[in-house]
Amino acid sequence: MRGLFLYTLKRLLGAVPTLFLLATLVFFVLRLAPGGPFDGDRVFPPEVKAAIDAHYGLDLPVWKQWTVWMRAAFFHFDFGESFQYLGRTVNEMIAFSLPPSLLLGGLAMLLSLGIGIPLGVLAAWRQGTWLDSSAIFFAVAGVSLPSYLVASLLVLVFALGLGWLPAALWDEPSSVVLPVLTLAFRPLAITARLVRSSMIEALSSDYIRTAHAKGVPVKGVLFHHALRNSLIPMITVLGPLAASLVTGSFLVEMVFQIPGLGKHFVGAVLNRDYPMVMGVTLIYGVILISANLLADLLCAWADPRIRLDSERN
Amino acid sequence: MNFWRKFIHKRVPFLSLLFLATVSIGATFAPTLTRQSYETQNIEEKLETPSAKHWMGTDSLGRDLYSRILYGARMSLAVGVLTALLSLTVGTLIGSVAGYRGGRTDSFLMRIVDLFTIFPSLLIAILLTVFLGRGFLGILLALALTSWVTHARLVRNLVIQAKGLNYVESARAMGLRDSRIVLRHILPNIIGPMIVSLTFQIPTNIMNESFLSFIGLGLEAPYSSWGTLANEGFRAMRSYPHLILFPGTILFITLLAFNALGDGIRDVLDPHGKRDFGG
């Protein structure tokens, strides 16, 4: 127990330099890029431009801007003022747009595990039958079908065709359905495929034959014996799964007009809203690092043979 | 030759290869395969449904959709293949140095790889487009700079495995230079898994490019890829679903074919290899 605590602490402390490095890289990539946030179509008179630059600290040398921003972000969790939304801080924008994204991502994660795992188990159990082949086809299609096509098909059928669900916006409970289905599609396919292959491996081992021989019911063998042992590879994909949900959210939130983090991230990159890009990137960093840590902890819990401290080479 | 004999018996991968060859030929000879221009706007013929003149209809500016898909294939395939080659080169270079040298070099390089693993490649690619611009070369570099890590990790592990084998040992005993051992002895022996990884990288790149184009951060006019077409199609989907269904279907089948091809090549070249699903 104490080892677990120390390990978690070590990993959390190790995340700080990673985030620092990430923030620094992103900062310089943004500042060194050609074109600035305020040289759009509208040309400001020089004195107005100077006033704007002074207000946002853009008149300082780049390294100075870097120290100012990094100090505020890492010591006060203050990400600065948004360039594109006048008078709003990045913190406000994040507080505002994180909940829809988390809800969307969380539901999609639940859905992809909740359907993907049983589907993989079923396919492995009925290996070689039509059920298995259709599961495999679905899994391959799932990774080959870009999510905007999933979204288009869902909207065409359920919103425009049948009129059951809203095609976009985020104003009633039913508007959650299509975005979540879109977002969950790819992770679900990945989950099903992975569970299938590790289940097939587990089902061919000796303890399964023993369990069958001593008369354990099929359901018990599948879910109690085999699934438990094939969960480890499943847990290790939680990290990549979280990553694919983040990526998916950019598109899903744009397509369905959801005021979430992903939509703001894309908008901020397009409009050169540097503080917003930095803030959202760091939030993504925190989410993804936590997902990876959680996956490692779950792995150790599921299989005590995995030694946490030796995990990191 | 042995490879072909085995490969030709795999039905789905072989059909996929034929399909991809057809698409590539279509993209290469686009000007002779369509009489309609892909860029001429014709407002009188805008938003038409498929007909004998416009096989897949026309878009909101009256441009022939079939021609646009053929020319879009050039962009999508070129980005997919060139990015994969570039990232394989970079990944092989870094992966083999890390694996062969080991020690500090290895742990330093792998730390960078870890950083790229945690963050989804598309997120990094989006950030890089700000810096590199959204021309053909910019997109290509942005995608390559984010996808080399997959190859780097693979090559590193393969090189570490190979390092312990006798042929490397004897090459060393003969006093060959390290670079020669890696280039002439190790790499030819691990080329199988590398080709598999390359094949799987192509659809990922095509998909990521289409993603970038779809959310408006990809190729800028005058370039247009399948992602650009899907984006335009999505906007007009309510009344003119064919505008997204045609480019969407061809993109989907192409990606499916690349994945099936990869599976087939893997079965022949690297039977024990596992598919690496990235974010």
Side-chain angles (χ1 to χ4, degrees):
Chain A
M1 202 55 221
R2 190 158 159 261
L4 198 70
F5 176 74
L6 280 179
Y7 172 78
T8 313
L9 198 71
K10 214 170 102 189
R11 283 286 296 272
L12 287 177
L13 286 178
V16 177
T18 308
L19 289 172
F20 185 86
L21 192 66
L22 175 78
T24 306
L25 280 176
V26 176
F27 187 92
F28 285 103
V29 164
L30 292 176
R31 298 298 150 130
L32 296 177
F38 298 107
D39 19 287
D41 306 329
R42 209 152 36 121
V43 181
F44 296 107
E47 59 274 17
V48 177
K49 180 92 172 59
I52 293 176
D53 281 356
H55 177 76
Y56 291 107
L58 290 170
D59 53 344
L60 301 171
V62 174
W63 66 269
K64 184 89 187 158
Q65 292 181 34
W66 175 73
T67 40
V68 169
W69 196 88
M70 295 295 272
R71 188 176 301 153
F74 278 83
F75 292 109
H76 307 286
F77 302 110
D78 173 11
F79 297 140
E81 214 172 319
S82 164
F83 289 171
Q84 55 175 336
Y85 303 102
L86 278 183
R88 288 211 178 239
T89 65
V90 174
N91 293 44
E92 275 171 18
M93 295 302 298
I94 289 176
F96 193 65
S97 54
L98 189 56
S101 295
L102 280 184
L103 179 69
L104 211 59
L107 286 176
M109 179 77 103
L110 280 181
L111 192 70
S112 46
L113 295 180
I115 297 181
I117 293 178
L119 196 67
V121 172
L122 214 63
W125 179 41
R126 288 270 177 252
Q127 195 191 347
T129 64
W130 64 270
L131 217 153
D132 185 30
S133 4
S134 34
I136 293 176
F137 177 76
F138 172 74
V140 177
V143 289
S144 305
L145 197 58
S147 47
Y148 50 82
L149 289 178
V150 181
S152 317
L153 291 176
L154 287 174
V155 168
L156 273 178
V157 174
F158 293 104
L160 304 177
L162 298 168
W164 290 351
L165 293 160
L169 297 181
W170 190 250
D171 44 12
E172 47 185 316
S174 61
S175 42
V176 182
V177 181
L178 292 185
V180 166
L181 285 178
T182 309
L183 193 56
F185 194 74
R186 190 182 160 87
L188 199 161
I190 296 176
T191 310
R193 188 164 166 152
L194 205 88
V195 169
R196 176 183 173 273
S197 62
S198 52
M199 272 299 272
I200 286 178
E201 206 170 300
L203 282 175
S204 64
S205 39
D206 288 339
Y207 63 86
I208 295 296
R209 202 173 319 128
T210 313
H212 274 305
K214 71 178 190 189
V216 178
V218 174
K219 222 169 100 186
V221 174
L222 278 182
F223 286 92
H224 238 223
H225 297 249
L227 184 61
R228 259 181 101 152
N229 281 288
S230 48
L231 271 182
I232 306 286
M234 191 56 246
I235 295 171
T236 51
V237 300
L238 280 181
L241 220 60
S244 95
L245 287 176
V246 166
T247 323
S249 74
F250 300 152
L251 188 121
V252 167
E253 289 175 11
M254 282 197 66
V255 161
F256 290 101
Q257 296 293 314
I258 297 164
L261 216 52
K263 184 165 178 270
H264 283 304
F265 177 73
V266 175
V269 170
L270 274 172
N271 293 313
R272 299 286 163 85
D273 187 348
Y274 298 152
M276 189 76 188
V277 175
M278 302 275 303
V280 177
T281 310
L282 276 184
I283 294 291
Y284 282 141
V286 171
I287 293 176
L288 294 169
I289 289 175
S290 324
N292 278 295
L293 174 61
L294 195 69
D296 286 350
L297 290 176
L298 277 174
C299 255
W301 171 76
D303 185 351
R305 281 172 307 180
I306 295 177
R307 295 266 319 269
L308 280 171
D309 42 350
S310 56
E311 268 288 289
R312 309 297 295 175
N313 306 325
Chain B
M1 257 348 355
N2 200 14
F3 169 79
W4 277 108
R5 212 175 303 146
K6 281 189 194 158
F7 183 81
I8 225 156
H9 289 294
K10 306 206 166 275
R11 211 160 24 133
V12 177
F14 186 66
L15 285 177
S16 303
L17 185 67
L18 287 185
F19 174 80
L20 291 173
T22 315
V23 175
S24 313
I25 292 170
T28 316
F29 298 104
T32 51
L33 286 171
T34 170
R35 291 216 196 98
Q36 307 293 333
S37 156
Y38 67 100
E39 51 183 359
T40 309
Q41 302 177 8
N42 187 348
I43 297 302
E44 275 164 29
E45 291 183 349
K46 71 171 183 177
L47 292 168
E48 276 182 14
T49 44
S51 63
K53 186 178 177 198
H54 299 291
W55 291 359
M56 296 183 180
T58 58
D59 70 2
S60 58
L61 293 170
R63 292 173 291 192
D64 183 64
L65 189 58
Y66 169 65
S67 309
R68 296 201 74 201
I69 287 177
L70 273 184
Y71 281 89
R74 288 180 161 188
M75 276 302 133
S76 290
L77 293 180
V79 168
V81 174
L82 293 177
T83 308
L85 286 174
L86 189 61
S87 71
L88 181 70
T89 312
V90 177
T92 306
L93 196 72
I94 294 182
S96 51
V97 167
Y100 195 79
R101 289 246 174 257
R104 275 205 190 154
T105 323
D106 182 33
S107 37
F108 172 72
L109 289 173
M110 283 305 115
R111 255 205 104 87
I112 301 179
V113 169
D114 274 349
L115 194 69
F116 275 88
T117 322
I118 294 177
F119 294 95
S121 51
L122 206 66
L123 191 141
I124 307 175
I126 288 177
L127 289 171
L128 284 177
T129 55
V130 177
F131 187 66
L132 297 168
R134 282 151 54 196
F136 180 72
L137 206 63
I139 297 294
L140 204 138
L141 280 177
L143 290 175
L145 280 174
T146 53
S147 57
W148 59 272
V149 285
T150 326
H151 305 297
R153 193 177 311 109
L154 176 82
V155 170
R156 169 186 176 264
N157 292 340
L158 292 170
V159 168
I160 289 179
Q161 273 172 26
K163 226 168 57 168
L165 297 180
N166 283 337
Y167 71 90
V168 177
E169 198 85 6
S170 39
R172 255 201 213 147
M174 283 161 66
L176 294 185
R177 269 180 298 129
D178 287 348
S179 55
R180 194 181 161 83
I181 296 180
V182 172
L183 283 176
R184 300 292 292 275
H185 295 268
I186 298 182
L187 286 186
N189 273 297
I190 60 173
I191 197 86
M194 282 166 63
I195 291 177
V196 174
S197 166
L198 179 79
T199 320
F200 281 129
Q201 190 69 53
I202 296 173
T204 311
N205 290 330
I206 294 179
M207 175 115 90
N208 279 345
E209 186 281 319
S210 80
F211 233 86
L212 285 176
S213 290
F214 189 90
I215 58 179
L217 286 166
L219 291 169
E220 279 181 318
Y223 301 112
S224 69
S225 68
W226 286 341
T228 326
L229 296 182
N231 178 337
E232 291 165 14
F234 189 82
R235 289 160 202 264
M237 191 178 69
R238 267 164 207 275
S239 326
Y240 307 97
H242 70 277
L243 287 179
I244 185 146
L245 291 179
F246 281 119
T249 310
I250 183 101
L251 176 59
F252 172 53
I253 299 177
T254 305
L255 294 174
L256 206 59
F258 268 117
N259 279 322
L261 179 70
D263 277 334
I265 296 181
R266 186 201 37 211
D267 287 347
V268 178
L269 284 183
D270 182 25
H272 305 294
K274 273 193 181 157
R275 171 99 200 244
D276 179 30
F277 284 109

